[in-house]
Amino acid sequence: MQVLLILLVIAGGMGLSIEAGLLGPLGQQVGDLWATLSIFGVGAALTFLLMLFFSPRNAPSFFAQPGWQLCGGVLGAGYVIILTIATPVIGIAMTMIGILAGQVFKSLIIDHFGLFGTPHRKIDAKRIYALIFIIAALALVALG
């Protein structure tokens, strides 16, 4: 099951690269914020349809959840705006490696301290090496 989830996450990452490739030109044509709105609008419509057919009917209320859990959308919007602005200037590879570096860095901290209710996973040498390799990839792509 874990291998399947890893493959699914990799496919999701590939989708983000495609999204960045679509957002850059769209942002240049209609404006960065309109491009961001279009991505969220299409995603919200698709999610709504999926919820109609696949969401459990007796799930706890969305509005009964802690407010801090509901603010992830702000981070998502910021992420998409950054993709829209950065991709045409620095390219998809540089944008994605930069995003990956930030994700891994912050993920190591979240795992280490068990933030947001996640299980504790201590930072060890292997995780630090992985981050160093990602930063090296970022430097190599930046240097051309």
Side-chain angles (χ1 to χ4, degrees):
M1 181 63 159
Q2 189 172 5
V3 172
L4 180 62
L5 289 175
I6 290 170
L7 292 173
L8 188 62
V9 170
I10 291 169
M14 291 176 180
L16 289 177
S17 295
I18 294 169
E19 181 181 42
L22 297 172
L23 278 171
L26 182 61
Q28 289 179 323
Q29 292 175 8
V30 301
D32 298 329
L33 297 179
W34 282 107
T36 300
L37 180 65
S38 75
I39 292 296
F40 280 102
V42 170
L46 177 60
T47 302
F48 177 72
L49 289 173
L50 291 171
M51 286 174 57
L52 283 177
F53 296 106
F54 300 108
S55 183
R57 300 292 181 232
N58 57 355
S61 171
F62 177 78
F63 298 103
Q65 305 311 308
W68 64 268
Q69 287 183 336
L70 304 177
C71 67
V74 173
L75 297 171
Y79 166 77
V80 173
I81 291 169
I82 290 167
L83 281 183
T84 307
I85 294 169
T87 300
V89 178
I90 63 175
I92 295 172
M94 187 73 177
T95 301
M96 289 294 110
I97 297 170
I99 295 268
L100 179 63
Q103 286 175 329
V104 171
F105 175 74
K106 192 61 174 186
S107 296
L108 289 176
I109 292 169
I110 292 169
D111 278 352
H112 183 76
F113 292 106
L115 302 177
F116 311 116
T118 62
H120 291 268
R121 290 181 177 91
K122 296 292 181 193
I123 295 175
D124 59 9
K126 290 178 184 177
R127 290 172 178 246
I128 296 295
Y129 289 140
L131 180 59
I132 290 170
F133 282 125
I134 293 167
I135 293 169
L138 184 63
L140 289 171
V141 171
L143 296 173

